[in-house]
């Protein structure tokens, strides 16, 4: 039992130790990916912005979805949650192939493979910032921009998000090398999850189907982060006021941290042979 | 034991490497969840021992699939050994043909990527960039994607990047056989420079003439075992005789021979190695240290399942308390 806890923290320590390398490689890779485009790295920002706009038009305009609070414009509510959603969702799905696609780099150098998933997560940050700016502007324009002490708990939610992305990322990336179908399978799940996990409309209790979605969202770690983001910036809710979802979230993280660490440590020496 | 202090750049004792062979996808999947199953073991290395002194230029020879690359990977720290101890004094650089280069990136971008991975900052890289580019002789091509390079250009680039980091131990894996005469000469000049500085060099090549020319020691690895390690002339002759013998065999004879050897690699166990050490009268505690399994096989399944069940139990408890009526 002790060795499990020790290994998990050792893995996290490796990541923290190499955070400079992670960021440098992330910046480098983003630049290299966009080097041959006329707008260059600007696409990293433009792409998510168009996504927000699309959803705003379809759900806010077409379906007339409303924010759960009276008087809160839909776009403001949605954009704040979308920033968090983009971080966890895009970060999560980008980690799946992270080891697979970057393994060539590791071939002849001694290199901490454990940071490969996090490189992909760091690459998502510019997009998250740009959505956040849009969300902030929306808050300002609609008169919901009220900085308060509640905003400080963003530190907690960012921490939660990165812990989640780190351990799920290692789990994802390792599994995807062992089981090549994992990538496609999980993408189908994510697609469905997007519409039912309270990013575009708040899940509420009601009939059987609504209840089902409501309870799914309570155990969905993505929803925990997204909802926390809204609680921080819009609803002024402290995170310790919802201990049940908090406990569920961290227990889930412990679960995936154990499995992820186990698989990673077990297979890290053979990863090159599996590809 | 010996009075004078001995100096080693690399000291390997009882290095083994085990790969598990899975014949089906399902078997592979099973091993993920169940730990080590009955999948066939294949010992790519079966107890390699050697000491390398500073200034040694060691040629590594052996037929294809004999375990040369595995040994190099272990030396450079890319994969860990299954058992055995490995002491390395100094930093290591590996030059190999086109491996580790990203073909979609330009030469310049590859240089930066490699240096970043070695832990250098962008500032340091900017300072080193002109030297590396100049040594690589790529000229205008440095800003072209690597996929458009000839194999010679690729090895030039790889060689320039690695040697610029000034490693204490240089591993050259087949990389010099593809460059043109001019660059070969230049690269070998650089290697001579390294030798003069007392650096250690591992030189892998199928070109036995090149090995004879450059190395002072040769290590012959065959079917995961070290057949011989010693002065270049002696070992290279032995190896040449072996390949000649292999060539003379008829097709069936050769297949039979190779299969017996490969079979041995599957049947090998660590106990065999322990027996070997015992015969050589190596002290018992040292044998135990050397033959200890180093690779980590995941958490033991009992504590793994207990902790997972514990978490699930806690989760059920939390959900019942929070939402149960």
């Amino acid at each position: 039992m002790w060795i499990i806890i020790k290994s998990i923290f050792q893995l996290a320590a490796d990541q923290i130790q190499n955070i400079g390398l992670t960021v440098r490689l992330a910046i480098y890779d983003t630049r290299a990916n966009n080097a041959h485009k006329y707008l260059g790295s600007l696409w990293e920002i433009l792409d998510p912005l168009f996504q927000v706009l699309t959803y705003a038009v379809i759900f806010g305009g077409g379906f007339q979805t409303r924010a759960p609070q009276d008087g809160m414009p839909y776009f403001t509510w949605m954009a704040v949650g979308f920033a968090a959603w983009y971080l966890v969702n895009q970060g999560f799905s980008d980690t799946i192939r992270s080891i697979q696609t970057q393994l060539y780099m590791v071939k002849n150098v001694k290199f901490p493979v454990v940071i490969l998933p996090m490189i992909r997560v760091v690459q998502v940050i510019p997009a998250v910032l740009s959505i956040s700016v849009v969300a902030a502007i929306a808050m300002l324009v609609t008169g919901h921009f009220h900085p308060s002490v509640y905003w400080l708990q963003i530190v907690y939610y960012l921490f939660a998000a990165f812990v989640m992305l780190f351990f799920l990322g290692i789990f994802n990336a390792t599994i995807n090398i062992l089981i090549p179908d994992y990538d496609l399978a999980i993408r189908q799940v994510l697609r469905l999850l997007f519409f039912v996990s309270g990013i575009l409309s708040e899940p509420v209790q009601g009939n059987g189907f609504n209840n089902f979605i409501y309870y799914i969202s309570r155990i969905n770690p993505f929803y925990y982060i997204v909802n926390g983001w809204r609680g921080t910036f819009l609803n002024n809710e402290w995170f310790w006021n919802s201990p049940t979802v908090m406990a569920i979230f961290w227990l889930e993280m412990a679960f995936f941290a154990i499995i992820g660490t186990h698989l990673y440590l077990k297979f890290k020496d053979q990863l090159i042979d599996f590809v | 034991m010996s009075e004078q202090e001995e100096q080693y750049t690399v000291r390997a004792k009882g290095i083994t490497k085990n790969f598990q062979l899975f014949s089906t996808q399902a078997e592979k999947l099973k091993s993920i969840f169940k730990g080590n199953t009955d999948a066939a073991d294949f010992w790519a290395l079966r107890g390699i021992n050697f000491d390398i002194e500073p200034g040694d230029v060691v040629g590594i020879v052996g037929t294809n699939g004999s375990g040369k690359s595995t040994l190099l990977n272990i030396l450079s720290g890319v994969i860990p050994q299954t058992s055995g101890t490995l002491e390395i004094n100094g930093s290591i650089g590996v030059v190999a043909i086109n491996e580790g280069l990203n073909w979609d990136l330009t030469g310049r971008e590859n240089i930066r990527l490699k240096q970043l991975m070695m832990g250098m900052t962008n500032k340091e890289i900017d300072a080193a960039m002109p030297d590396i580019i100049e040594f690589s002789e790529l000229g205008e091509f440095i800003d072209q994607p690597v996929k458009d390079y000839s194999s010679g250009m690729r090895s030039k680039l790889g060689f320039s990047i690695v040697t610029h980091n000034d490693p204490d131990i240089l591993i050259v894996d087949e990389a010099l056989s593809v460059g043109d005469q001019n660059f070969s000469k230049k690269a070998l000049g650089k290697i001579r420079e390294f030798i003069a500085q007392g650096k250690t060099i591992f030189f892998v090549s199928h070109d036995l003439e090149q090995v004879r020319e450059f190395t002072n020691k040769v290590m012959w690895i065959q079917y995961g075992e070290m057949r011989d390690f010693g002065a270049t002339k002696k070992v290279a002759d032995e190896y040449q005789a072996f390949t000649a013998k292999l060539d003379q065999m008829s097709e069936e004879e050769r297949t039979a021979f190779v299969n017996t050897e490969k079979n041995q690699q599957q049947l090998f166990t660590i106990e065999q190695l322990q027996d070997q050490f015992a015969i050589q009268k190596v002290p018992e505690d040292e044998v135990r240290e050397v033959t200890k399994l180093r690779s980590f096989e995941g958490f033991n399944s009992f504590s793994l399942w207990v902790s997972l069940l514990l978490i699930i139990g806690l989760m059920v408890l939390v959900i019942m308390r929070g939402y149960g009526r």
Side-chain angles (χ1 to χ4, degrees):
Chain A
M1 206 76 90
W2 171 238
I3 188 155
I4 295 184
I5 298 168
K6 213 176 91 186
S7 308
I8 291 173
F9 279 95
Q10 182 59 47
L11 219 57
D14 283 352
Q15 170 64 60
I16 292 165
Q17 239 169 37
N18 288 302
I19 197 72
L21 183 62
T22 313
V23 172
R24 281 197 294 270
L25 281 171
I27 294 173
Y28 169 81
D29 194 59
T30 303
R31 275 207 201 126
N33 279 342
N34 295 297
H36 313 292
K37 297 169 189 152
Y38 285 105
L39 290 182
S41 298
L42 207 56
W43 278 114
E44 298 289 324
I45 294 173
L46 289 178
D47 188 53
L49 288 187
F50 280 110
Q51 272 189 51
V52 183
L53 287 178
T54 312
Y55 290 124
V57 169
I58 295 176
F59 285 86
F63 294 154
Q64 296 287 322
T65 317
R66 306 211 166 272
Q69 288 90 346
D70 282 335
M72 172 106 42
Y74 177 70
F75 184 76
T76 310
W77 181 83
M78 198 269 277
V80 170
F82 198 86
W85 165 259
Y86 199 86
L87 174 66
V88 287
N89 178 61
Q90 198 64 34
F92 176 87
S93 50
D94 285 356
T95 57
I96 297 175
R97 297 183 67 234
S98 59
I99 291 185
Q100 196 184 7
T101 53
Q102 296 178 94
L103 208 58
Y104 73 92
M105 307 199 305
V106 193
K107 266 190 169 167
N108 282 324
V109 222
K110 195 180 165 125
F111 182 80
V113 177
V114 72
I115 73 168
L116 292 181
M118 220 48 191
I119 290 177
R120 291 289 183 253
V121 175
V122 172
Q123 288 179 291
V124 173
I125 291 177
V128 175
L129 287 178
S130 72
I131 302 172
S132 303
V133 168
V134 170
I137 292 171
M139 284 159 76
L140 267 176
V141 169
T142 58
H144 287 87
F145 192 85
H146 309 298
S148 66
V149 67
Y150 289 95
W151 287 29
L152 289 178
Q153 62 176 338
I154 192 63
V155 176
Y156 164 77
Y157 282 111
L158 275 175
F159 173 73
F162 280 113
V163 168
M164 173 178 117
L165 289 171
F166 177 65
F167 286 112
L168 282 181
I170 287 175
F171 172 77
N172 273 339
T174 313
I175 276 277
N176 189 51
I177 287 186
L178 303 172
I179 309 171
D181 312 43
Y182 180 76
D183 181 25
L184 278 172
I186 208 74
R187 264 167 220 282
Q188 315 311 321
V189 177
L190 284 179
R191 195 174 300 159
L192 188 67
L193 214 58
F194 175 71
F195 293 100
V196 298
S197 60
I199 286 69
L200 299 172
S201 60
E202 181 70 22
V204 282
Q205 283 170 291
N207 61 25
F209 179 70
N210 284 351
N211 274 340
F212 176 68
I213 289 183
Y214 177 79
Y215 285 115
I216 289 280
S217 72
R218 299 299 115 168
I219 57 164
N220 178 355
F222 289 17
Y223 177 78
Y224 180 69
I225 303 285
V226 171
N227 201 39
W229 223 270
R230 285 181 178 138
T232 300
F233 292 117
L234 297 175
N235 305 346
N236 295 349
E237 277 167 27
W238 290 113
F239 65 86
W240 54 76
N241 285 341
S242 38
T244 306
V245 279
M246 184 175 159
I248 293 173
F249 175 83
W250 287 108
L251 284 171
E252 283 169 342
M253 288 314 108
F255 186 85
F256 281 106
I258 292 174
I259 298 190
T261 311
H262 171 72
L263 288 179
Y264 172 74
L265 290 180
K266 184 167 175 194
F267 288 99
K268 69 170 177 190
D269 309 339
Q270 305 168 36
L271 290 180
I272 288 181
D273 309 316
F274 268 103
V275 174
Chain B
M1 287 182 268
S2 63
E3 282 82 63
Q4 85 257 43
E5 199 172 299
E6 287 167 307
Q7 281 244 314
Y8 297 102
T9 41
V10 183
R11 170 174 248 183
K13 257 193 220 142
I15 300 286
T16 65
K17 182 67 194 177
N18 173 24
F19 289 107
Q20 291 209 312
L21 304 178
F22 302 107
S23 45
T24 60
Q25 203 74 5
E27 229 173 76
K28 202 164 90 181
L29 198 64
K30 224 167 81 185
S31 85
I32 299 172
F33 296 106
K34 285 191 64 182
N36 288 345
T37 45
D38 32 319
D41 282 328
F42 182 80
W43 293 86
L45 294 176
R46 297 185 273 173
I48 307 273
N49 307 297
F50 58 82
D51 293 327
I52 310 281
E53 289 154 23
D56 271 352
V57 184
V58 182
I60 302 182
V61 295
T63 54
N64 282 334
S66 55
K68 295 191 302 268
S69 308
T70 310
L71 181 61
L72 290 188
N73 276 334
I74 290 173
L75 277 177
S76 54
V78 176
I79 56 174
Q81 64 271 32
T82 305
S83 73
T85 54
L86 185 65
E87 289 165 46
I88 294 175
N89 298 313
S91 58
I92 295 192
V94 185
V95 196
I97 327 170
N98 68 40
E99 278 196 58
L101 294 176
N102 184 338
W103 287 33
D104 290 325
L105 301 179
T106 67
R108 194 189 293 274
E109 288 166 342
N110 265 299
I111 295 175
R112 185 170 296 274
L113 176 62
K114 280 276 147 189
Q115 305 290 61
L116 279 176
M117 287 178 63
M118 307 287 278
M120 284 171 79
T121 61
N122 279 305
K123 229 184 198 164
E124 290 166 335
I125 298 170
D126 287 337
M129 192 68 88
D131 283 349
I132 301 177
I133 295 175
E134 202 208 309
F135 191 82
S136 71
E137 296 182 341
L138 286 168
E140 304 270 287
F141 272 94
I142 197 70
D143 290 312
Q144 295 301 312
V146 169
K147 59 176 176 243
D148 295 342
Y149 286 17
S150 68
S151 55
M153 288 159 86
R154 262 178 238 131
S155 69
K156 283 181 190 183
L157 182 62
F159 188 84
S160 311
I161 295 174
V162 173
T163 51
H164 194 273
N165 284 335
D166 209 27
D168 302 317
I169 301 163
L170 185 68
I171 298 178
V172 185
D173 189 0
E174 309 266 2
L176 298 183
S177 34
V178 285
D180 55 26
Q181 284 286 309
N182 234 338
F183 188 77
S184 276
K185 220 180 265 170
K186 194 166 160 185
L188 293 172
K190 187 88 182 172
I191 291 179
R192 285 217 178 84
E193 219 174 276
F194 276 20
I195 297 170
Q197 289 166 19
K199 297 189 179 196
T200 303
I201 292 163
F202 289 93
F203 191 81
V204 179
S205 178
H206 279 294
D207 184 351
L208 207 52
E209 290 316 305
Q210 220 174 27
V211 170
R212 280 178 197 276
E213 195 184 331
F214 275 98
T215 62
N216 60 358
K217 283 183 183 171
V218 170
M219 189 186 300
W220 173 19
I221 294 178
Q222 198 62 44
Y223 306 114
E225 284 182 323
M226 196 163 77
R227 285 290 173 90
D228 205 356
F229 176 45
T232 296
K233 175 95 179 60
K234 176 173 153 267
V235 184
D237 285 348
E238 281 173 13
Y239 176 64
Q240 207 159 19
F242 173 78
T243 47
K245 198 182 99 196
L246 215 55
D247 274 343
Q248 278 167 4
M249 287 184 190
S250 71
E251 196 74 35
E252 296 95 64
E253 274 177 331
R254 199 182 316 147
T255 324
F257 175 72
V258 170
N259 282 345
T260 359
E261 294 289 346
K262 295 265 157 182
N263 204 19
Q264 286 294 316
Q265 277 183 287
Q266 296 201 5
L267 295 175
F268 177 82
T269 57
I270 292 281
E271 283 77 39
Q272 286 178 27
L273 195 65
Q274 282 167 346
D275 293 344
Q276 262 179 47
F277 278 125
I279 292 166
Q280 290 163 16
K281 300 237 169 10
V282 179
E284 205 166 301
D285 50 333
E286 203 184 320
V287 173
R288 209 174 305 126
E289 172 66 23
V290 167
T291 53
K292 195 171 68 189
L293 290 185
R294 248 141 240 286
S295 62
F296 179 73
E297 295 296 342
F299 305 130
N300 93 32
S301 43
F302 176 72
S303 55
L304 181 70
W305 286 113
V306 167
S307 10
L308 290 183
L309 285 175
L310 194 74
I311 289 172
I312 293 174
L314 276 173
M315 220 180 307
V316 170
L317 207 71
V318 166
I319 293 176
M320 296 278 278
R321 286 207 54 178
Y323 299 113
R325 46 214 64 159

